[in-house]
Amino acid sequence: MKKSIYILIGLAVSIFSCAKLEEEPESFMAASDFYRTPSDAVTAVNSIYFLLNAGSNAVQTPYNTLFNTGMNFMGDDENPGPGATNPDVRSQSVLGHASTGLRVLQIWQQHYSGIKKANIAIEKIPGIDFGANTKLRERLIGEAKFLRALYYFNLVRLYGGVPLILKDLATLEEAHSQPRRNSVQEVYAQIEKDLIEAATVLDPIVGGADAGRATAGAAKALLAKVYLTQRKWENAILKANEVITGPYGYNLVQNYAEVFLPIYKNGPEHIFSAQFKSVSQGQGNNQAPRSVLTGVPGIVGSYADQVVFYSVPDATKPGGVDKFFSVYKLYSKKDKRRDVTFVTKFKSPTNGNWYARLNDPAIPGDSVPFFNKYWDPATVSNLAESGANVPIIRFSEVLLILAEAENELNGPTGIAYTNINKVRRRAGLDDLTEGLSQHQFRDSLYLERRLEFVFEYQRWFDLIRQRDAAGQGILESSLRKVGKNNVAPKHYLFPIPQQEIDLNPNLEQNPGWL
Amino acid sequence: MNAKEWGALRNDALINSNKSPQYTAAQLDSLGEGTDWQKAAFRQAAIQNHNLSVLTGNDKTRVAISGNYFKQDGVLINSDFERYSGRLNLDHEYSNRLRIGSYITASQISSNVAPQAVVPALLLMSPAVPIYNPDGSFVLRNLFEGVYGNPINTLKNQINETKTGRFLGNVSAEYKIIEGLTFKVLAGADVLNNKQNRYLPSTVYEGSGLGGLAQVGSIFSTNWLNENTINYTRRIKNVHNLNVLAGFTQQESVTKGSVSGSSGYATDAFDYNNQQAGNVTSINASGFAPSPSSFASRWALRSFLGRVNYGYRDKYLLTVSLRADGSSKFAPGHKWGYFPSAAVAWNASNEDFLSQVKNLGHLKFRLSAGLIGNQQIPSYQSFSQLSYFRYNFGNNTVSGFAPNSIANPNLTWEKTAQYDLGADLGLLKDRVVIAADIYYKKTTDLLLNVPLPSTSGLWNIVVVNGSLSTPNPQVYQNYGAVENKGFELAVATKNLVGKFQWSTSLVYAVNRNKVLSLGDGIDQIIPNSALPSIAAVGKPIGSFIVYETDGVIPVGTSPDKALTPAANKNPGGQQYKDINGDGKITQAGDRVIIANQPKFIAGLTNTFSYRNFDLSIFLQTSYGNKLYNQNRATLELGTGYTGASTTLLNRWTPTNTNTDVHSAYQDPAATISDRFIEDASYIRLKNLTFGYTFPEHLVNKAKVKNIRVYISLQNYLTLTKYTGYDPEVSSNGQSAIDQGVDNGAYPNSKTFLGGLSFSF
């Protein structure tokens, strides 16, 4: 009997020390155990790029659909197609949205998530021992600054002055802080500072396994665009020239299609692009199937976006009106870009038949054009796996930045003509008519940008930036032209997301938004 | 709404949005009744329950063995739940000092679960869409802008199985050291093994683009428990009663799980059984994750406890206890919580001066005060956790890590101090028993998943019911204080005794809840602006913050004067109350807070028996509670994209202007308003059971001890004004703030049961 009680007590005591209260993470790493080695630093910087493709399939991110559904759909080139079903998106596409719009919040939220990753890298990497390889350390910090600048550049253009968060908000107290909005000038000053510092430490060229990382050329090109947006013409010219003449090896590719086809990715025209990759756990370009007709056997298209159709007078059409005018018809017949940018029919890989959708059965040959820039011939049966990159800035834009800034500063000089004509010649077009006035040249340049960059998440930024001869913004007149009559002056800026104001009452709403 | 009515609505929405109508009058007529999606999906479903028990043993050993089979078909077609279980109880008296016991159950559950997105899809499919194509195949999806896969096709063809095996067992031993002093040790384990098999065939809409999508997941969880207590009981001269207990308990739970998936199959023939025939891709259908993932999670709890009960002549009772609990979930240095309590009671009916009072059975007064703790949060919340963020350079995948939560070095126990004053009264030889309590509870260091501004930079994207939701990033914090005060009354009466027996039991409870403070002097938290829920100081937690609707925009109002934050500013659009009178509707100035918790809840049970018949009726009621009917908010949008509520039959049109239902309009952003807050008070017949037990002299001849037959109705009748499926449901049940929002969760079902039981 004594024995059994000893056994019992033994049993109790042996288990006594088992249930440890210390937590030892098994399926994640704690931040406190990280940021110690150069390899940690590389990994930390990689995570900042994540937002560019943000491969998490269920989620739209800026360069993976979100800048269409949450931004460009409001513009004059793109509309939601029949397959775009989200009421928030449809509401926003007719400019009927409010500060509670889902996409308005997502764009804000996601950019700040990118900024946090940059801030922590910039804060932690200087404390990591790189041994002799201090150049790598500087480069990584430069990449982080480049990306932080890009993310703030998007925010300041869309929302105006936003809170400038430049350190990692690591404690609860900091994370709960309710920052006020900085001024537009303060945000731009920080963007310029980050890009200038990045340009001095980044490599001029990267290739091979590093292709897609930020480079000194990318920092300067983005800086040129930042200056252009602020109408700092001299600086824009200076930086564009540095990109063109610097040791970066940029050039126009002669075949416009090769700018986009995945097998030519990161070619000489690429300066900085969102990198996509097929069959790699969510790194496919989800935009690709959204621009494809539904019901084509063997191709999965969701027809979630399409061109904006609007009416223009046309004597050749019934009733003297072409009801199906769109950006597609703005291209001249010679323009090689049109048939790279759009397709009007799809060949089924399973039965070989061609499929199209007619605008009006009474007008044969006038079928719906579909955007085609992110089509990946290698993933036709599963286009959401498209490996097509999204250009964020490419060489032809630097040429057009130079031409635009030159025209604004000095009028349509030879420099302005030379640079726009480089872009036109590559497209198979004649040189721009000689002897244009400054205003005429500007209009030609705006059109050139629109045709060159359609569907590259650029149009909305141009609509809110560009000004006409009278110095007025072009947004309202451009949208009224295509029947988007809800447009109002308030639309030059996004509303600050209501959910954010609810959590941070220090944020002031933009004018005109409730 | 039938298809013809729906077609007219769609035409209106198009016209009001300056577009051409879709249907001609003749086409409208041909639409006719259309499809009743709910009728096609819901059914009356059967339940079976079989139970067999054997009890045996001698004066030293007792054994109980039982087996059970339960099968329930779901009210949605192709959903079911099946359980086999067995139980063994063993109790053995080893000697007059040592007793050992064991309790073991094992069960196997198989279930076909209806995909979550189906219930909303049943409501949102347009009645103008047929279920089948003329050739007999399924129509793939809603044919209009609101794209939902054909839910009937999904129910019939999507595979969504879960199988759970569970083993629960413990052994215990009790040793009497000396008279009155016993030592007890218990060790137990709960082992759970769950497997989920899912296949989305290429023939349903969500899988049509994917070439099929298979997902297999498993979870293995072990939970063990050890309790060691020592108990001393002493009674001195029938005057002093003493009981002292001291103990140590510990518990640990480890859960590991993994999911794999692939898509792009050449055929649907394999279901989920041949994943290597597909690719690991990025494609994600709602609820499916084709990318492989795995996780591990653990928590542990250790407690020391002590309790003293003292009674003096069974008149004055005193209990004092203290427990110290350590939880692994909290931050280092904050893992332990100390929870004392004390209670006194006075058995007044044992006093001499009351013992003569006629008809007084017993009378007792109770007073207690104590502190209790709560640690119900996920593990690892005190860490700043790194998340994995993937990218690629030169077409090669690279790894990225970045923090995606905030370290909380102070995370600790939530504490509730509670005070209770109560009385128990028995009258007429306890034919009437009354218990009444009033209480006050104050919870401090509230464990709340607190939303952070997005400028904090945390990435928080979640998929809820198949659609993307963007709540702000959240962090578990001890954040604020809440009070609950209330009154509870229980009355049990034996109304008739004798041949015909009737007894009644009534419980009635009133609770008032109020947020006393939120962290750092914040007045309110709105975790998700897509939902009306708010935590605001001075209001009950989870109240609603909404605009107040105010009819429709009158004819002749110019759009810039229209009182609405929404896109449709034309006459006939929804109008809202301008609370602050500034001539426009703003989030900041025109929202009101509406409480939604019940004024009282009550339950009433009546039991009757006469000879061998017995009848019991259980009614339950909740009064004054409100629900935000999120389904209705969608169904009353009037876009012509999705199915629509019949309310819209009375919508504003140029010829029907005397209405408070807004006009049809395309592209509206949903606006959260009081229109969708409904009184969810209800009275429900939760259970009615009618049984008959065969007379013993009859059944004994057949060597059977007892035979009983019964029928039972559950949730059979509900009286409510609530227009959703079920006033008792909340889709966001776990979250304290989001309760009260109904977005089409699987409803409680009405059940009709018949049963037969034998005892040998």
Side-chain angles (χ1 to χ4, degrees), chain B residues 63-227:
Chain B
V63 180
I65 302 172
S66 71
N68 176 271
Y69 173 77
F70 178 87
K71 170 144 197 216
Q72 178 171 26
D73 289 334
V75 292
L76 284 164
I77 53 174
N78 274 16
S79 61
D80 61 29
F81 178 93
E82 187 179 38
R83 181 184 61 218
Y84 297 88
S85 59
R87 201 177 75 207
L88 171 70
N89 277 15
L90 236 166
D91 197 0
H92 178 65
E93 212 174 298
Y94 187 82
S95 71
N96 58 2
R97 290 194 157 191
L98 180 65
R99 292 172 73 93
I100 53 175
S102 171
Y103 172 87
I104 294 168
T105 64
S107 64
Q108 165 86 39
I109 294 170
S110 308
S111 173
N112 287 299
V113 184
Q116 260 191 335
V118 160
V119 176
L122 288 171
L123 290 165
L124 293 169
M125 285 297 282
S126 160
V129 177
I131 299 175
Y132 299 99
N133 290 314
D135 66 2
S137 62
F138 281 104
V139 169
L140 214 49
R141 64 171 179 92
N142 187 19
L143 303 173
F144 304 97
E145 291 88 339
V147 172
Y148 302 91
N150 182 338
I152 307 299
N153 188 3
T154 302
L155 282 170
K156 291 211 163 153
N157 291 318
Q158 181 172 329
I159 297 173
N160 191 8
E161 302 169 347
T162 131
K163 289 186 196 295
T164 306
R166 188 168 186 184
F167 171 88
L168 186 82
N170 65 48
V171 290
S172 64
E174 201 177 319
Y175 185 74
K176 198 195 289 175
I177 301 167
I178 51 168
E179 192 56 39
L181 183 65
T182 48
F183 175 72
K184 187 177 176 188
V185 57
L186 178 146
D190 182 0
V191 180
L192 187 144
N193 201 341
N194 170 272
K195 176 114 190 295
Q196 289 181 36
N197 303 317
R198 305 181 66 186
Y199 186 68
L200 190 60
S202 60
T203 50
V204 307
Y205 173 68
E206 296 87 346
S208 62
L210 312 174
L213 174 50
Q215 178 182 310
V216 176
S218 67
I219 292 174
F220 188 80
S221 143
T222 314
N223 192 330
W224 65 259
L225 170 74
N226 163 240
E227 291 177 355

Side-chain angles (χ1 to χ4, degrees), chain B residues 310-323:
Chain B
Y310 171 73
Y312 178 73
R313 290 185 189 279
D314 283 342
K315 289 180 193 166
Y316 311 104
L317 307 168
L318 171 71
T319 303
V320 180
S321 72
L322 174 67
R323 53 183 303 146

Side-chain angles (χ1 to χ4, degrees), chain B residues 203-376:
Chain B
T203 50
V204 307
Y205 173 68
E206 296 87 346
S208 62
L210 312 174
L213 174 50
Q215 178 182 310
V216 176
S218 67
I219 292 174
F220 188 80
S221 143
T222 314
N223 192 330
W224 65 259
L225 170 74
N226 163 240
E227 291 177 355
N228 315 286
T229 51
I230 190 155
N231 195 339
Y232 180 68
T233 308
R234 182 100 197 263
R235 192 172 172 88
I236 304 167
K237 295 178 188 165
N238 273 350
V239 174
H240 307 282
N241 249 340
L242 183 68
N243 177 277
V244 182
L245 175 96
F248 167 72
T249 68
Q250 52 180 347
Q251 194 177 357
E252 182 185 52
S253 169
V254 176
T255 303
K256 298 201 176 195
S258 65
V259 176
S260 69
S262 74
S263 64
Y265 297 94
T267 161
D268 284 327
F270 308 128
D271 294 347
Y272 51 81
N273 295 311
N274 191 356
Q275 287 193 326
Q276 63 274 31
N279 299 314
V280 177
T281 66
S282 62
I283 314 296
N284 200 350
S286 72
F288 282 83
S291 308
S293 67
S294 57
F295 73 93
S297 173
R298 173 193 174 274
W299 59 261
L301 199 57
R302 300 169 80 178
S303 304
F304 294 94
L305 44 108
R307 191 186 67 214
V308 178
N309 286 328
Y310 171 73
Y312 178 73
R313 290 185 189 279
D314 283 342
K315 289 180 193 166
Y316 311 104
L317 307 168
L318 171 71
T319 303
V320 180
S321 72
L322 174 67
R323 53 183 303 146
D325 293 303
S327 167
S328 66
K329 292 174 179 176
F330 298 121
H334 296 82
K335 292 182 188 293
W336 286 90
Y338 302 92
F339 306 105
S341 75
V344 290
W346 177 35
N347 256 331
S349 49
N350 287 353
E351 297 285 358
D352 296 341
F353 62 88
L354 283 175
S355 61
Q356 302 310 317
V357 178
K358 215 181 156 191
N359 289 334
L360 181 71
H362 72 270
L363 175 64
K364 183 178 182 180
F365 297 96
R366 297 174 271 110
L367 178 66
S368 67
L371 202 58
I372 56 170
N374 172 25
Q375 54 120 23
Q376 291 297 327

Side-chain angles (χ1 to χ4, degrees), chain B residues 561-600:
Chain B
K561 292 271 186 322
L563 291 173
T564 175
N568 185 5
K569 301 189 189 308
N570 302 321
Q574 183 73 58
Q575 178 170 271
Y576 298 89
K577 259 188 207 145
D578 183 13
I579 310 267
N580 66 0
D582 63 355
K584 53 191 181 188
I585 302 299
T586 58
Q587 296 266 359
D590 299 310
R591 290 190 292 181
V592 294
I593 294 180
I594 295 177
N596 55 27
Q597 296 186 354
K599 295 211 164 34
F600 69 82

Side-chain angles (χ1 to χ4, degrees), chain A residues 96-158:
Chain A
H97 58 300
S99 58
T100 46
L102 190 60
R103 295 297 185 272
V104 167
L105 173 64
Q106 286 174 346
I107 291 175
W108 171 281
Q109 210 173 60
Q110 294 185 10
H111 276 87
Y112 274 106
S113 85
I115 288 164
K116 179 185 171 73
K117 296 184 183 85
N119 283 339
I120 194 165
I122 293 166
E123 206 167 296
K124 297 282 187 188
I125 292 175
I128 297 174
D129 182 6
F130 277 70
N133 199 355
T134 54
K135 197 163 175 298
L136 174 62
R137 171 159 65 198
E138 295 311 309
R139 190 199 89 192
L140 290 170
I141 296 170
E143 287 181 51
K145 286 183 174 169
F146 172 87
L147 291 165
R148 181 166 75 178
L150 172 65
Y151 298 153
Y152 272 120
F153 185 40
N154 288 341
L155 284 175
V156 74
R157 285 185 290 173
L158 292 175

